[in-house]
Amino acid sequence: MLSDTYGRVATDLRVSLTDRCNLRCTYCMPEEGLRWLPRPELLTDDEIVRLVTVAVRELGVTEVRFTGGEPLLRPGLVSIVERCAALTPRPRLSLTSNGIGLERVAPALRAAGLDRVNVSLDTLDPQTFRTLTRRDRHADVLRGLAAARVAGLDPVKVNAVLMPGVNDTEAPDLLEWAIRHGYELRFIEQMPLDPQHGWQRDTMITAEDILRSLATRFTLTPESAEARGAAPAERWTVDGGPHRVGVIASVTRPFCRTCDRTRLTADGQVRTCLFAREESDLRGALRGGADDAELAERWRTAMHGKKAGSGLDDPSFLQPQRPMSAIGG
């Protein structure tokens, strides 16, 4: 079990498969990209599967989410999913992607055992998409989303970040579109995880901003705290249901006290929090010959020291030294 001193137990594992990405979203990385991790520093497919196995069999993890960077860029992705789906007990498996390439691989991922996907899409306008991502791939994302639904990767969730002066008026249109296509929409507050440190608290689009915008077109009814559980998204039923919309307000409405996550970076570091400035190395122990029991104990020790909160509400907050693409979202 991965418990900490505040009584929280981590059962949800986020695994970054690569720090590379084929988009250049303005809130994530600079136009020229980043210096990618050297290949020898990345966990191999076998190492990823072994650490997931330790997490599931030794530490009580029940859900595994594959992230990046862009996880579809990982050549061994389908095999990794298939091997993790074969574990006993069998974890629930999901993937967070930008959707580019999903049209091609969605059937294979479903056959391998992937349960569902989250796809990032911040706008319905191709030109705005080009402005935000610096790439002309809007149509590819839409085709990827449609392919995920056809493949049965349900529920297909769409993640959207609203940026001031760019797409901040699109919340109602995005929700109307998501309902029409049968996707579950999640708005995510922009977080201070960009390497260029362009995030500004006083100009970001907040959860309250989003909800006010949605209320101009929809009637939203909040779900209970019991229904939310440890999920990061606060959810509302739309116009009496059955459709729902969520808002992940990591900055203005932090949910640290119910957090049930542990994170593994693409180079084998345990992170207790998305905003942590410290990491614990598992790759070194793994490659040094540690057995599963030692790896599990190192992981327990790392998570036991998890802080009470992210520190975002502290004026002295400092961004993590590594950007979102390296950490895994």
Side-chain angles (χ1 to χ4, degrees), residues 45-228:
D45 292 1
D46 287 345
E47 288 171 336
I48 289 170
V49 173
R50 184 177 172 198
L51 289 176
V52 171
T53 301
V54 169
V56 169
R57 292 182 177 171
E58 307 290 334
L59 299 172
V61 163
T62 58
E63 297 195 25
V64 178
R65 172 86 62 89
F66 298 109
T67 70
E70 174 45 54
L72 295 184
L73 296 179
R74 179 88 187 201
L77 172 61
V78 173
S79 174
I80 291 170
V81 170
E82 185 174 33
R83 294 167 68 184
C84 291
L87 294 175
T88 302
R90 201 271 205 200
R92 182 166 174 79
L93 302 175
S94 59
L95 176 85
T96 295
S97 169
N98 63 27
I100 296 174
L102 188 56
E103 179 185 23
R104 172 184 54 82
V105 77
L109 287 171
R110 185 70 184 101
L114 191 71
D115 294 301
R116 65 170 191 83
V117 294
N118 283 41
V119 176
S120 298
L121 181 65
D122 304 320
T123 178
L124 300 178
D125 180 69
Q127 180 56 52
T128 303
F129 182 90
R130 193 178 302 117
T131 298
L132 280 167
T133 68
R134 305 183 179 104
R135 297 292 186 270
D136 189 15
R137 307 298 297 273
H138 190 260
D140 295 311
V141 180
L142 295 181
R143 287 195 296 267
L145 279 162
R149 278 212 70 194
V150 171
L153 293 168
D154 295 317
V156 176
K157 296 184 180 180
V158 175
N159 296 336
V161 176
L162 299 182
M163 300 291 290
V166 182
N167 63 336
D168 52 340
T169 64
E170 287 199 56
D173 291 338
L174 280 163
L175 180 53
E176 186 174 287
W177 167 84
I179 290 172
R180 185 166 67 249
H181 289 276
Y183 305 137
E184 291 192 17
L185 182 62
R186 298 287 186 271
F187 291 100
I188 304 176
E189 287 184 338
Q190 182 195 4
M191 294 178 284
L193 292 169
D194 57 313
Q196 61 269 40
H197 290 233
W199 177 86
Q200 295 182 37
R201 187 185 300 269
D202 57 353
T203 60
M204 63 172 284
I205 305 302
T206 67
E208 288 301 324
D209 296 329
I210 295 165
L211 292 171
R212 276 195 298 269
S213 180
L214 292 176
T216 63
R217 196 178 304 176
F218 304 96
T219 299
L220 304 180
T221 305
E223 288 192 341
S224 66
E226 291 76 15
R228 179 184 183 184

Side-chain angles (χ1 to χ4, degrees), residues 241-291:
H243 302 289
R244 298 181 300 184
V245 64
V247 179
I248 299 176
S250 300
V251 178
T252 64
R253 300 182 181 183
F255 40 88
C256 301
R257 65 182 179 182
T258 60
C259 180
D260 65 349
R261 296 181 182 182
T262 183
R263 299 175 181 274
L264 185 65
T265 67
D267 54 351
Q269 309 301 304
V270 172
R271 294 185 63 87
T272 61
C273 173
L274 193 58
F275 302 102
R277 292 179 61 83
E278 306 84 18
E279 298 177 337
S280 300
D281 181 31
L282 285 186
R283 185 191 63 200
L286 183 66
R287 294 181 179 177
D291 61 17

